[in-house]
Amino acid sequence: MAADGLRHLLETWADVDPARYPFDPVEMSVVARTLVPPPPPQPTGDDGWAGYSDAAAWVESVSVILSDRYGPWAYRWHWGPWEREHVGFVTDRIPTPADAPAFVAESLLAWRHWLESLAERFDHILPSLDPTRAADAADVVAAWEAAVAQLMAFAATPVVDDDGWQGNCERTLRWFLTAAGIPPDQAQIVVDGALERFGWWAPLTAVEIGEVADRVARDTLSPTGIVPVGRIDNWPDTWPHGWPSWRATNTGRGAGLSSDRGQPA
């Protein structure tokens, strides 16, 4: 049993890779009726905070039960697509005891299905990153940029709030890097460095996708010697729709400062 909510941080792809954890959705839907403990009563009146605490404790208990049975990936059964992150979606609509097993089963199945879809993309993308298949270093960089851009779009698609994409993209990219053989600590540093310049409440656009893809590719490949740390590219001065590219070296904006974004060239 888990001692606390830090039991499964799911830092690497190995923690959630469906291939490592066989799963029978039919069996799970059946046993959910006996596995899932009854949730607390829905709060009434001014008992909102007490209700949140009870609901969070219930979510944790369900997480422990599911992860013990199905593997660490199941600990985040409430992270499926089109659901708000963490426990918020549960505490806003805590199920009744009669509905709880179906509620948990549906959420776990949605989470598993999303992970399986992500695994299919990884299986398709990872071979394209093999440097032995590339003609030169530029092709390797281009393959990484294309991979990151594709995964960013996939991760952001199910996000309910179009300005709340960072969390799902951060996890997806971190798992992708670890699936590609990047050590977890380095993967975290690369992803943090690529996303740190974007604050919350900013919708994801082609500009952000292009910037993150470039940064992740450059920071991932630089330690391998495939690309130098310094920029050697010479991107157009618009990217796209009149936006200056933060990575352009021919506009005076090569430093990539966020204050440059959106200003006329």
Side-chain angles (χ1 to χ4, degrees):
M1 298 294 286
D4 53 49
L6 298 179
R7 180 191 188 188
H8 296 311
L9 296 178
L10 307 186
E11 295 178 332
T12 71
W13 179 238
D15 294 328
V16 295
D17 183 1
R20 294 171 58 91
Y21 304 100
F23 177 69
D24 183 348
V26 175
E27 181 267 351
M28 188 279 300
S29 298
V30 173
V31 301
R33 291 192 289 269
T34 56
L35 281 179
V36 176
Q42 298 185 20
T44 58
D46 297 329
D47 297 332
W49 283 108
Y52 180 91
S53 177
D54 291 341
W58 177 73
V59 170
E60 172 68 11
S61 68
V62 173
S63 297
V64 170
I65 292 170
L66 294 179
S67 62
D68 281 345
R69 187 177 185 92
Y70 299 113
W73 68 273
Y75 188 80
R76 301 302 188 186
W77 60 275
H78 46 84
W79 272 6
W82 296 286
E83 300 286 12
R84 286 188 291 170
E85 287 186 83
H86 307 301
V87 298
F89 85 99
V90 178
T91 55
D92 284 351
R93 52 185 177 92
I94 189 77
T96 65
D99 294 336
F103 177 87
V104 172
E106 181 181 356
S107 296
L108 181 64
L109 287 175
W111 176 229
R112 176 74 180 198
H113 178 71
W114 191 84
L115 290 174
E116 290 173 348
S117 297
L118 186 61
E120 291 177 0
R121 282 163 173 77
F122 284 5
D123 289 342
H124 175 73
I125 291 172
L126 286 171
S128 70
L129 305 182
D130 183 354
T132 64
R133 299 175 55 177
D136 52 34
D139 286 346
V140 178
V141 176
W144 273 89
E145 289 191 349
V148 173
Q150 178 182 334
L151 292 171
M152 288 275 290
F154 174 76
T157 296
V159 174
V160 175
D161 297 324
D162 64 0
D163 54 7
W165 53 270
Q166 292 88 342
N168 212 31
C169 286
E170 186 273 337
R171 283 190 297 274
T172 299
L173 294 181
R174 175 160 41 85
W175 290 338
F176 175 63
L177 292 182
T178 59
I182 307 300
D185 290 346
Q186 181 185 347
Q188 188 67 64
I189 292 172
V190 169
V191 174
D192 286 347
L195 296 179
E196 64 184 357
R197 62 193 311 274
F198 303 112
W200 293 94
W201 322 121
L204 182 64
T205 69
V207 178
E208 279 73 31
I209 290 178
E211 294 180 0
V212 172
D214 173 81
R215 183 69 178 266
V216 170
R218 178 161 49 83
D219 289 353
T220 299
L221 297 174
S222 292
T224 68
I226 293 178
V227 295
V229 174
R231 295 183 181 88
I232 59 174
D233 51 35
N234 192 30
W235 292 84
D237 55 6
T238 56
W239 175 269
H241 305 307
W243 280 69
S245 170
W246 72 276
R247 53 189 173 180
T249 58
N250 61 343
T251 63
R253 292 188 168 87
L257 298 177
S258 59
S259 59
D260 290 339
R261 293 178 57 202
Q263 300 300 318

